[in-house]
Amino acid sequence: MSGLNRFLIEDVEVPLVAVLADLEDAGYRVDVPHFEQLSQVLETELNEVVAQLRDHAGADFNPNSHDQVRTFLFETLKLPPLKETAQRSASTDQETLEALKAAHPAVPLLSRFRALTKLHGTYCKVPTQLDDDGRYHPVFDQLGAETGRISSKGIIQTIPKHDAYGIRRGFIADPGHQIVAADFVQRELCVLAGVSGDPVLQQAILNGVDLHGLAAVKVFSLDCAPQDVKAQRPAERDRVKAIQFGIIYGQSAAGLASTLDLTLDEANQLLDHYFAQFPDVRGFINDVHQRVCRDGFIDDLFGRRRYLPDAQLARSRRKNERMSGSERDLVRRYKAAQRAAQNFVIQGASATITKLAMLRCHRHLCAEHPRIRFLLTLHDELHFEVPDDEVQHFVSELPDLMCRLDLERFGFTLPLTAEVKAGPSWGALRPVAPQG
DNA sequence: GGAACACGCGCC
DNA sequence: AAAGGGCGCGTGTTCC
């Protein structure tokens, strides 16, 4: 168990084994007819789309074959490639199709084909993966991700959220029960605020202010209250949101430019404006980069360690030296390691917070609610199956169970918040009014 | 006949 | 060219 200290081993990972075992045993009830019906609808639509595609591209065209799609788009239709894959061939991904959609009627059909086959081929197979009890039993790997996140075999952590067909409505509660789910609110940003020590972000969290809204007001000198930014200045809020997500992901200025459709200069300017308002965030990121470059590893708030030897590759390089191809590759790996380190200190600490919340919930269920089943963890979200007559009470307890984790002992003093939802299925959850 | 890779894409 | 971290899966393709 490399990368773990005594606390993480003894107080987190080892006791979590029994919790995850209980989740795996419980499983999520599945509405099989829902998936069968959905499957038929998708097959009908797919047949139609494939027929139309073959009208354009030939009777034996297989839109599942990247090679054939590439040949069709860039040789038969002579459309201009937008970008390349890792192997230097012309990419046919969704971004490319989106850019080319007006150029030929087959292009939007390919997009549609991809979306439909994904739903049909991957997510409609859920009924084939059930145990005899008709439930989907996930298999978790608590050390499956380098960041400390819990990974799971299978598809349960990637069930589509915004598909038009309601895949999530196929995951249901037993009769006489409801699904209760709770997710942490803007937790990665709270972790960033906590570990960077930024006083403005911290105060905003203490006041319960929308963090993207607040940052937009600061960065763009907006003349409105943070909570009104969402309605009144959505464009500014979206930009700041992209920056703050980018910081969590370790995104570069080039990446930000791409997501916001800006030039590199504009993206750099935007980042400068942001960091001018939040200098402690910049300081924190610089410190992470420096440490991982010096040590070849980085520790998060709870002492989880990730080794990133690539961060030491380009230590002695000077700028403006000419680079050979292999040197370029070293620099790429060095930068990737820095991004991974920056992401790790946020994602890693967040993952441990989820694990602590799970331990607390599990202990509480064992002691007080033996009829409630703990079903699922989705990184910042927990699912339970709750008897109808216990829903009201449990819903009132859950936020505190998840959020009061005694993190002051690690120097983390900010409050966490969680939003609770309930409903008959995963796809039909409705917010539960906070107690007060 | 199966393993490994390539690509694309679903989630947080 | 790549660009944004962490996962897992399905299909096509190539290689052993």
Side-chain angles (χ1 to χ4, degrees), chain A residues 46-66:
Chain A
L46 264 172
N47 287 337
E48 179 66 21
V49 171
V50 170
Q52 290 184 40
L53 276 169
R54 288 185 174 157
D55 285 345
H56 291 296
D60 51 1
F61 179 61
N62 178 0
N64 254 325
S65 163
H66 302 123

Side-chain angles (χ1 to χ4, degrees), chain A residues 310-362:
Chain A
D310 279 3
Q312 296 183 305
L313 280 177
R315 290 179 70 178
S316 57
R317 280 217 59 85
R318 277 206 231 137
K319 270 193 168 176
N320 301 327
E321 268 181 77
R322 287 194 58 190
M323 275 186 286
S324 67
S326 59
E327 279 178 315
R328 231 181 279 279
D329 186 57
L330 292 186
V331 171
R332 187 189 59 74
R333 284 166 55 191
Y334 161 79
K335 287 182 173 172
Q338 284 200 330
R339 293 194 298 268
Q342 183 178 327
N343 172 257
F344 170 73
V345 292
I346 308 293
Q347 197 186 108
S350 297
T352 297
I353 289 173
T354 292
K355 288 175 170 176
L356 291 170
M358 291 177 70
L359 287 165
R360 192 133 180 274
C361 288
H362 185 257

Side-chain angles (χ1 to χ4, degrees), chain A residues 169 178-182 391 395 419-433:
Chain A
R169 287 203 301 276
Q178 289 194 46
I179 303 298
V180 171
V391 168
V395 150
E419 268 176 6
V420 183
K421 298 180 177 184
S425 78
W426 187 357
L429 299 174
R430 295 292 171 262
V432 175

